[in-house]
Structure formats: structure tokens, C-alpha cells
């Protein structure tokens, strides 16, 4: 008995309560002979609708200047509620947002892996050894790893360099991405103006973020040789694999950020304990 399975999904963005007129970011429809069984009982309901998985971006957008499209995030050091680099309202808001993002990506990945990849593989039980997909591309139902994608989050301390340190406008030897997400490298004058800053220069930050874009593109491009194209009729294509890989990757970024902030917090705490010779509790700081 042969069963044809149709799968339709989309990732969309909507403002406020205007759910009926969303901006569709990604969508795909597939229809293929996916399940072969030796019995005539239908392997799945004739129609199955999944509840939408929503994620609010309000917490993120409040830290973005929508006119200039730049981040406005900063810890308010004058706020009485600000105790440490970790214990303040701004970081707390970001951590909540990242936890919500983690839950959303988990549910999205679960939809594709459990309801498409695993569910159909389990129910595909032919009497003979009939391949599930015959695209000639090997195991097209495999799950690739996101470990090869660069994560641009790392806490480190840099010793200030002398003011006479030189800067050049020599092009980078590293491969560059042509993505619209690639950031322009600052001019020499802009770099020199930031040389005395205790934080990374704009040049350094753009270089790190551009490497992230490049590594993502490189990893996704490798899927084209491993999985059926999105224009195919298969239920498991490069489009689904891309989302399945980027979901845990975005979760990793959030986890690394929290770990980095906790690292700075722990470093300052250890320095304080070493300086005064005892542990300081929150009540002591408030006093």
C-alpha cells in the first residue's frame, strides 16, 4: 500500500495582531510517495494541522534603532537596580528573550525532525527493501551538525596598546562574503579614533560578524550537494535542513552570550574576593 504525503509549512512575520497579512520569510509545499506499508490502514490522519509556534520580538526590537538599524543596547549604570554586569534589567531582559528564542527554535526543530523526518521514516515499512528517497544523494534524511559554523561570542580581555600603534587599510587576507549582511570595514581614520577604547573597535567587530556570515553561507552551501533542492517534491529538502541546522545554532549563540556575561561576573567577583579577603553577599553590596 502506497501513501502520498503532502506537507505545507511557512515561516512568517507579522506586526501586532495583523496575523492575516504576514510577511512570509520562508515557505514550502511538497507532495511525494513517502510511506509504503504492507497493511492497508492509513498511517496518518487524512488532515493534520499543527498549532502555530509564535515568538515575540518586542524584547529584541526595543534595543534597536529602527531608523538607523543599529543596536542601542547598553547597561544603565546609573539605574539603582543595576548591581553588577550580570544583575541589571537590561541583561535580564536579553536573557529572557534568548530563553524564549531557545524554546521557539526547539519547537520549530521538533516539528521538522519529529513530524517529518522521524515520523515518516518510522511509518515507512514496505514488505520489500524499497528506498525511502531515491535522489541519488545518499542518506538524504540525515541530520547535519551546526558545529562548523562560527559563533561570534567570546569573552576576552585585551591590554590597551600604545597610541603609536599603527593601523593599515590593507585588505584582509580572509575570504569575504558577498552577502547583503556583510558589514563595511571602517576607514583608517575611524579605526584610529577608536584605538583608545576599552572595547573592540568597529573594525574588529565587523570582521568577526562578517566571518560569521561567511561561515553560515559556506555551511549552507554545502547542503546543496547533500540534499534535494527546495524545488523538488521531496518532503525533506535543503530548505528543511537549513532550518533544522540554524535552530540549534541560534540557541548556541544565546547560550554563549549568557556564559560570557557569567564569565565576566565571576571574574569581577574573584577579583573582589581577592582584594578584600572575603566573600561579598548581595546584602553587603546594597549597603
Amino acid at each position: 500500500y502506497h501513501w502520498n504525503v503532502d506537507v505545507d509549512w511557512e515561516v512568517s512575520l507579522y506586526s501586532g495582531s495583523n496575523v492575516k497579512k504576514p510577511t512570509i520569510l520562508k515557505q514550502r509545499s511538497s507532495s511525494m510517495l513517502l510511506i509504503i506499508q504492507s497493511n492497508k490502514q492509513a498511517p496518518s490522519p487524512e488532515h493534520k494541522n499543527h498549532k502555530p509556534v509564535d515568538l515575540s520580538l518586542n524584547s529584541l526590537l526595543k534595543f534597536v534603532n529602527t531608523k538607523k538599524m543599529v543596536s542601542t543596547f547598553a547597561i544603565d549604570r546609573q539605574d539603582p537596580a543595576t548591581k553588577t554586569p550580570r544583575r541589571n534589567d537590561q541583561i535580564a531582559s536579553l536573557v529572557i528573550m534568548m530563553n524564549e528564542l531557545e524554546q521557539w527554535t526547539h519547537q520549530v526543530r521538533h516539528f521538522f525532525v519529529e513530524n517529518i523526518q522521524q515520523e515518516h521514516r518510522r511509518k515507512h515499512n514496505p514488505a520489500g527493501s524499497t528506498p525511502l528517497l531515491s535522489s541519488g544523494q545518499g542518506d538524504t534524511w540525515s541530520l547535519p551538525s551546526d558545529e562548523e559554523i562560527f559563533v561570534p561570542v567570546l569573552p576576552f580581555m585585551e591590554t590597551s596598546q600604545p597610541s603609536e600603534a599603527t593601523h593599515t587599510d590593507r585588505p584582509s587576507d580572509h575570504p569575504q562574503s558577498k552577502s547583503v549582511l556583510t558589514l563595511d570595514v571602517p576607514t583608517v581614520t575611524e579605526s584610529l579614533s577608536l584605538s583608545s577604547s576599552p572595547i573592540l573597535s568597529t573594525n574588529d567587530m565587523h570582521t568577526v560578524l562578517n566571518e560569521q556570515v561567511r561561515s553560515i553561507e559556506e555551511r549552507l552551501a554545502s547542503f546543496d550537494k547533500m540534499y534535494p533542492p527546495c524545488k523538488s517534491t521531496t518532503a525533506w529538502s535543503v530548505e528543511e535542513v537549513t532550518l533544522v541546522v540554524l535552530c540549534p545554532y541560534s540557541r548556541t549563540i544565546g547560550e554563549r552570550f549568557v556564559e560570557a556575561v557569567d564569565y565576566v561576573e565571576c571574574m569581577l567577583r574573584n577579583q573582589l574576593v581577592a582584594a578584600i579577603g572575603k566573600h561579598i553577599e548581595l546584602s553587603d553590596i546594597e549597603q
Side-chain angles (χ1 to χ4, degrees), residues 156-163 165 195-200 204:
F156 69 94
M157 303 300 165
E158 183 180 36
T159 303
S160 298
Q161 299 296 323
S163 58
S195 60
S196 60
S197 173
I199 64 175
L200 285 180
D204 290 330

Side-chain angles (χ1 to χ4, degrees), residues 9-172:
W9 59 265
E10 73 174 34
V11 179
S12 57
L13 186 69
Y14 64 89
S15 176
S17 58
N18 193 15
V19 184
K20 295 184 178 180
K21 293 183 179 180
T23 299
I24 298 177
L25 305 178
K26 278 185 177 292
Q27 67 177 166
R28 189 169 182 270
S29 298
S30 61
S31 179
M32 64 175 295
L33 180 63
L34 190 58
I35 300 177
I36 302 176
Q37 294 186 150
S38 56
N39 60 74
K40 63 180 181 180
Q41 183 178 359
S44 299
E46 184 176 357
H47 299 285
K48 186 176 182 180
N49 294 322
H50 294 269
K51 184 179 179 181
V53 181
D54 291 331
L55 172 68
S56 174
L57 298 178
N58 291 340
S59 299
L60 174 64
L61 293 178
K62 74 178 184 180
F63 293 122
V64 176
N65 183 325
T66 55
K67 293 182 179 180
K68 297 182 178 180
M69 293 306 295
V70 295
S71 171
T72 60
F73 176 80
I75 297 176
D76 185 359
R77 299 186 179 184
Q78 306 303 319
D79 187 346
T82 299
K83 305 298 183 182
T84 67
R86 178 66 171 83
R87 300 177 185 179
N88 57 79
D89 293 341
Q90 292 74 39
I91 292 293
S93 180
L94 273 184
V95 171
I96 292 174
M97 182 208 72
M98 290 176 179
N99 288 336
E100 293 173 346
L101 175 63
E102 178 180 355
Q103 295 175 13
W104 184 81
T105 56
H106 174 76
Q107 294 180 69
V108 171
R109 191 175 191 275
H110 180 272
F111 167 78
F112 288 109
V113 174
E114 182 62 26
N115 295 295
I116 297 181
Q117 196 231 28
Q118 295 296 334
E119 181 73 2
H120 294 154
R121 291 186 74 173
R122 284 196 297 265
K123 293 180 178 179
H124 179 74
N125 184 28
S129 56
T130 304
L132 192 60
L133 291 176
S134 55
S135 65
Q137 295 172 285
D139 184 10
T140 53
W141 287 93
S142 62
L143 289 175
S145 169
D146 65 312
E147 295 180 353
E148 298 180 21
I149 304 178
F150 175 64
V151 180
V153 182
L154 179 69
F156 69 94
M157 303 300 165
E158 183 180 36
T159 303
S160 298
Q161 299 296 323
S163 58
E164 62 267 22
T166 59
H167 297 261
T168 66
D169 55 356
R170 181 174 56 86
S172 172

Side-chain angles (χ1 to χ4, degrees), residues 177-188:
S177 168
K178 297 181 180 180
S179 169
V180 295
L181 298 177
T182 302
L183 301 169
D184 293 331
V185 176
T187 63
V188 175

Side-chain angles (χ1 to χ4, degrees), residues 199-216:
I199 64 175
L200 285 180
S201 68
T202 305
N203 187 15
D204 290 330
M205 288 189 287
H206 285 192
T207 300
V208 170
L209 294 177
N210 288 342
E211 173 58 22
Q212 179 195 22
V213 173
R214 188 204 63 79
S215 67
I216 291 176

